[in-house]
Amino acid sequence: MRHVQFPSGHMVTIGPDGWPIEADPEAPDLDTVPGWRPVAEGVRHIGGTVDEPAADTVAEMLCGRQIVVPRRHRRVPPALFDCHACWHEWIGVDE
């Protein structure tokens, strides 16, 4: 997937099939976001990096939440919700 931003500021994600995936501000779809998307307490966030940072470091999500990267990979907790604040930052919604 790749992202295209128009001069108007509208951002479109191009899916694997070559067709645009429209980003709905009210319905987060973090599956379309490339990179590291950690889950904390059932909420999936968008990490500020493409890859997972080194262990025992503090990483800041797009919404401002800070997560400590664990030393060992544990079972990935289920994502119950996608973070609306991270999503709005990702697509550039001004509030």
Side-chain angles (χ1 to χ4, degrees), residues 1 19 49 51 66 69 77 91 93:
M1 285 187 273
W19 289 93
T49 62
D51 297 317
Q66 294 184 348
V69 181
I91 62 174
V93 173

Side-chain angles (χ1 to χ4, degrees), residues 2 4 6 10-23:
R2 62 188 172 92
V4 176
F6 295 102
H10 181 73
M11 181 175 272
V12 176
T13 302
I14 305 298
D17 60 358
W19 289 93
I21 300 170
E22 289 293 326

Side-chain angles (χ1 to χ4, degrees), residues 4 12 28 33 42 55 86-87 91 94-95:
V4 176
V12 176
V33 178
C86 284
W87 179 247
I91 62 174
D94 292 328
E95 294 186 72

Side-chain angles (χ1 to χ4, degrees), residues 15-57:
D17 60 358
W19 289 93
I21 300 170
E22 289 293 326
D24 182 6
E26 300 304 318
D29 185 10
L30 270 56
D31 292 328
T32 62
V33 178
W36 184 50
R37 297 180 310 271
V39 177
E41 298 176 6
V43 180
R44 185 168 55 165
H45 296 273
I46 300 172
T49 62
V50 175
D51 297 317
E52 183 175 344
D56 288 334
T57 58

